[in-house]
Amino acid sequence: MELTKEKLLSMYRTMVRIRTFELKVAELFAAGKVPGFVHLYVGEEAVATGVCANLTDQDYITSTHRGHGHLIAKGGQTKLMMAEIFGRATGYCKGKGGSMHIADVGLGILGANGIVGAGQPIATGAGLACKYKKTNRVVACFFGDGASNRGTFHEALNMASIWKLPVIYVAENNMYGISNYQRNHMNVADIADRAAAYGIPGVAVDGNDVVAVYEAAAEAVARARKGDGPSLIECKTWRHRGHFEGDPAIYKNPEEQAAWLKKDPIPRLEAKLLDLKYATQADLDQVQAEATAEIEEAVKFAESSPIPSADDVLTDVYAD
Amino acid sequence: MAQMTYAEAIRDGMRVEMQRDPNVILYGEDVGLFGGCFGVTAGLLQEFGPERVIDTPITETAIVGSAVGAAAAGLRPIAEVMFVDFMGVCMDELLNQAAKMRYMFGGKARLPLVVRTPCGAGMSAAAQHSQSLEALFTHIPGLKVVMPSDPADAKGLMVAAIKDDNPVIYIEHKQLLNVSGEVPEGEYLVPLSQAEIKREGSDVTIVAWSWMVSKALAAAEILAKEGINAEVLDPRTLVPLDKEAILKSVGKTGKLVIVHEAVRTNGFGAEIAAIVADEGFDLLDAPIKRVTAPDTPIPFAPVLESAYLPNEEKIVKAVKELF
Ligand SMILES: Cc1ncc(C[n+]2csc(CCOP(=O)(O)OP(=O)(O)O)c2C)c(N)n1
């Protein structure tokens, strides 16, 4: 599959926007400006970007504690996200969710999630709704390598496979569940192999190559839209930073970290764009400048937004 | 009005809503051809087809978790969990997903789902198939908890639960499934936060729910012969609780006995006692009594199980202690 210039440039822009957002959050967190804790997606941008580039506004995703990248790739607005991370009344969740629970149900984003593995059955149910309503919508379900050990993984994939639900399960294998290296937490090298247990396709791809992710997801999405059921895609990737901001990541091997940094998905796509003459260095700089301006704007919006009224602690518990 | 069992009434409530709204679907283990472990869903597969009445694998986590996703994406799922005792398997899906999604999203989600599940002892099913776990769910803001005690309420509350835009835990009692009563036909709804006085009285208020309403009514008949006129109040929904009705009744009688089948410690009876002590202390002219199961798992042998269960004698005794 040859991707068009527009598609590649648009994916590049998304990845740069995610990276810029995340590095800004890191800076703000270090400066003590955002409450709680944050798990950043730096290094894994190609996964959300390659998958979501196959989705429309009508499709659904479920996300994780490392969700900012998924939300941006699905079309979430950075200023509403930033305001939420700041705990402001103008945020996506009016300051009730924070980094780990940002959602935009109107855009099909059924929430980041603070519980590892919880998104898998939720995605399955959204897939059931898509199929039942004959909407041709699909669901992409993001989760980590660690989450693929939860019972939810087994139950969700089994259910989706027997009912042929339009769900794309995306394992983001960044090799670690907090500090626990993959070889210590599962007895298979490829999470993709687990698909065999449910009789569905499973592929492992280079998760730092946005084109490879895009292509694997395109196939899975096409299959889902045709009514042929779910797929499992494993994207091998790497988080550049600690598990959460402030984690010194002493469990990481420095050589391995250095080797992975060389495979950073953003410079890789830049090289490709320059090589194909789809962009000049000036074009790329322009994309970065726009992303920087957008994120600065988001921070300004968040910082100048009102904090929630304490009275709102009691609202939104039940729907009337 | 029609004569129906409690099980038929639950089914009738589901049927009425499934006919009215194509987004209502029903799924769970063996709910289709088999008609549900207790026959509650019999015939619905034939009436609504396999797209709407779906047999699931044995997969409580995915049943409840997917109901959350299906509700968020626009369906109104009714998920059956075969026994309330199995809720431990899907507790995250209830307490962290269903209950909180709306709040965490700043009010921008609706989760119209019903989890139906049977509770209760009395059939020597022992400790893993007999519990009354309603207090667990009432402790989680964001869930609503419904426990009907007769066929008419079973139907009306089912209809209300399905129409409600929130996650509702609808707990049916196994001992009531074959109990018959008059049930209004067609559309019939019992609002979720309305208690009902099942027997008027002036001397003592007995608050009871689910199977224990019949025990309280039987106790009231015994008491009446001894000149004590008991009022029996069934909250029907524990969350949201109709506390005004309870306070009003206690205001009339001055005495309160709470009866529940669940074990004593941290049972929902403690919550009702606390509310009345807090907001109705002046209404009371005697201490509040609770009649509950003891703090033990549920035994198997019939003699042990009946020793475990609250019954009319225990209720009569507790009431008499107040006079
Ligand atoms: C059910 C549950 N158990 C444990 C945790 C604590 N926890 C948060 S993130 C995490 C590691 C998750 O690893 P993985 O799924 O690989 O995702 P990654 O962080 O690598 O993106 C753990 C153990 C949790 N949030 N939820």
Side-chain angles (χ1 to χ4, degrees):
Chain A
M1 183 191 316
E2 214 28 72
L3 284 173
T4 63
K5 176 180 165 185
E6 288 67 39
K7 197 83 191 175
L8 283 176
L9 280 170
S10 134
M11 292 201 295
Y12 176 69
R13 196 170 303 115
T14 301
M15 285 166 59
V16 170
R17 288 172 62 231
I18 297 172
R19 175 72 54 97
T20 309
F21 185 91
E22 293 294 67
L23 292 178
K24 178 54 79 178
V25 171
E27 191 185 309
L28 294 163
F29 184 82
K33 291 198 177 170
V34 297
F37 42 98
V38 286
H39 308 80
L40 300 185
Y41 201 57
V42 180
E44 307 187 31
E45 293 90 346
V47 180
T49 302
V51 171
C52 290
N54 287 285
L55 305 180
T56 73
D57 282 2
Q58 302 296 300
D59 295 320
Y60 291 100
I61 65 164
T62 61
S63 170
T64 70
H65 57 287
R66 202 176 299 291
H68 307 161
H70 309 133
L71 275 73
I72 292 175
K74 185 62 174 61
Q77 293 185 49
T78 49
K79 70 177 197 177
L80 302 186
M81 287 176 55
M82 194 63 88
E84 187 57 36
I85 292 170
F86 270 81
R88 300 302 162 116
T90 52
Y92 258 124
C93 314
K94 306 185 210 155
K96 285 179 169 153
S99 166
M100 268 201 293
H101 309 103
I102 306 176
D104 184 346
V105 177
L107 253 183
I109 301 170
L110 298 180
N113 210 308
I115 305 295
V116 169
Q120 297 153 344
I122 294 176
T124 303
L128 176 64
C130 294
K131 178 170 179 178
Y132 181 85
K133 293 182 164 222
K134 301 189 171 58
T135 54
N136 211 34
R137 296 178 186 183
V138 301
V139 187
C141 171
F142 295 98
F143 54 90
D145 46 297
S148 77
N149 296 324
R150 282 275 330 272
T152 48
F153 172 87
H154 170 78
E155 295 200 15
L157 269 73
N158 185 57
M159 183 181 261
S161 70
I162 53 174
W163 294 347
K164 283 202 180 335
L165 301 181
V167 186
I168 300 93
Y169 295 95
V170 183
E172 309 188 294
N173 186 357
N174 62 16
M175 316 285 167
Y176 286 96
I178 306 188
S179 66
N180 199 354
Y181 201 71
Q182 190 199 336
R183 78 171 84 84
N184 299 325
H185 74 62
M186 59 177 67
N187 200 27
V188 286
D190 290 335
I191 297 167
D193 288 350
R194 291 181 164 178
Y198 315 105
I200 63 172
V203 289
V205 300
D206 179 348
N208 277 17
D209 176 356
V210 73
V211 176
V213 175
Y214 179 88
E215 287 175 349
E219 205 177 317
V221 168
R223 186 180 138 79
R225 290 209 206 278
K226 257 197 315 199
D228 290 343
S231 311
L232 172 63
I233 301 173
E234 174 186 6
C235 302
K236 309 251 189 213
T237 185
W238 189 256
R239 68 170 145 79
H240 291 188
R241 308 183 66 89
H243 174 67
F244 47 81
E245 283 310 282
D247 165 18
I250 48 164
Y251 46 83
K252 275 193 187 173
N253 171 330
E255 281 103 71
E256 205 177 2
Q257 167 91 349
W260 274 99
L261 290 184
K262 290 207 191 98
K263 294 193 268 183
D264 187 330
I266 294 181
R268 272 172 79 180
L269 182 56
E270 284 173 352
K272 189 176 181 99
L273 289 168
L274 294 170
D275 199 45
L276 289 168
K277 304 220 178 329
Y278 284 177
T280 63
Q281 187 59 48
D283 295 333
L284 302 181
D285 293 346
Q286 173 66 20
V287 170
Q288 179 62 64
E290 282 168 16
T292 305
E294 174 191 344
I295 304 308
E296 286 306 330
E297 205 43 50
V299 174
K300 246 190 251 157
F301 173 78
E303 284 186 319
S304 62
S305 286
I307 58 169
S309 148
D311 296 338
D312 281 339
V313 68
L314 296 179
T315 58
D316 303 320
V317 181
Y318 294 100
D320 307 321
Chain B
M1 290 277 190
Q3 194 73 21
M4 284 185 206
T5 66
Y6 182 91
E8 288 164 343
I10 297 168
R11 184 190 314 146
D12 200 43
M14 292 193 284
R15 178 189 289 124
V16 165
E17 283 306 292
M18 289 182 82
Q19 284 167 345
R20 192 186 59 80
D21 182 351
N23 286 326
V24 179
I25 61 166
L26 166 69
Y27 61 106
E29 292 157 26
D30 307 296
V31 297
L33 258 191
F34 193 59
C37 207
F38 297 102
V40 175
T41 57
L44 294 176
L45 171 67
Q46 289 75 1
E47 189 173 347
F48 295 102
E51 288 217 315
R52 297 185 66 191
V53 180
I54 314 170
D55 279 320
T56 65
I58 301 161
T59 199
E60 288 76 16
T61 301
I63 292 169
V64 177
S66 68
V68 173
L75 297 185
R76 303 185 87 85
I78 307 169
E80 177 177 314
V81 172
M82 203 179 264
F83 285 78
V84 76
D85 312 72
F86 308 162
M87 285 290 200
V89 183
C90 52
M91 217 48 190
D92 178 61
E93 284 55 44
L94 285 176
L95 74 89
N96 280 316
Q97 310 301 327
K100 295 179 184 154
M101 198 183 249
R102 179 180 178 78
Y103 190 80
M104 291 191 313
F105 293 4
K108 287 175 220 147
R110 264 168 211 278
L111 291 179
L113 67 100
V114 180
V115 180
R116 281 183 42 232
T117 189
C119 74
M123 54 195 290
S124 274
Q128 293 173 340
H129 289 79
S130 304
Q131 292 166 96
S132 292
L133 295 177
E134 64 270 21
L136 290 183
F137 311 119
T138 64
H139 195 63
I140 305 166
L143 302 179
K144 295 189 176 182
V145 183
V146 170
M147 294 188 83
S149 68
D150 62 36
D153 285 355
K155 173 173 176 177
L157 289 165
M158 175 52 72
V159 169
I162 298 171
K163 282 187 194 284
D164 200 277
D165 277 338
N166 297 284
V168 180
I169 313 296
Y170 180 101
I171 306 174
E172 17 195 274
H173 201 293
K174 298 195 281 290
Q175 297 297 331
L176 294 173
L177 291 168
N178 293 322
V179 170
S180 281
E182 294 275 299
V183 178
E185 282 164 279
E187 274 285 331
Y188 170 63
L189 184 146
V190 173
L192 283 193
S193 56
Q194 249 176 45
E196 187 175 58
I197 295 186
K198 299 286 184 189
R199 181 190 195 279
E200 299 262 359
S202 50
D203 300 332
V204 57
T205 298
I206 305 176
V207 173
W209 51 91
S210 194
W211 189 29
M212 289 300 124
V213 172
S214 59
K215 305 280 170 197
L217 289 170
E221 290 314 311
I222 298 168
L223 289 164
K225 295 200 186 90
E226 305 187 22
I228 298 173
N229 191 5
E231 174 146 305
V232 177
L233 184 147
D234 175 6
R236 304 194 284 197
T237 311
L238 303 188
V239 179
L241 181 68
D242 186 354
K243 69 177 183 184
E244 284 72 30
I246 296 170
L247 290 165
K248 189 165 162 223
S249 178
V250 174
K252 182 163 78 169
T253 63
K255 297 187 180 63
L256 174 61
V257 174
I258 304 156
V259 184
H260 60 64
E261 182 179 333
V263 302
R264 189 176 193 83
T265 300
N266 285 328
F268 195 68
E271 178 61 29
I272 294 179
I275 289 171
V276 174
D278 181 8
E279 298 178 42
F281 192 71
D282 295 341
L283 309 173
L284 289 165
D285 52 36
I288 301 169
K289 290 281 169 202
R290 284 182 288 161
V291 182
T292 70
D295 290 334
T296 131
I298 298 161
F300 166 72
V303 60
L304 296 176
E305 191 180 37
S306 43
Y308 169 92
L309 280 167
N311 58 22
E312 30 295 42
E313 291 84 66
K314 293 177 191 173
I315 300 169
V316 166
K317 181 165 172 286
V319 169
K320 283 193 180 161
E321 280 168 21
L322 301 180
F323 289 87

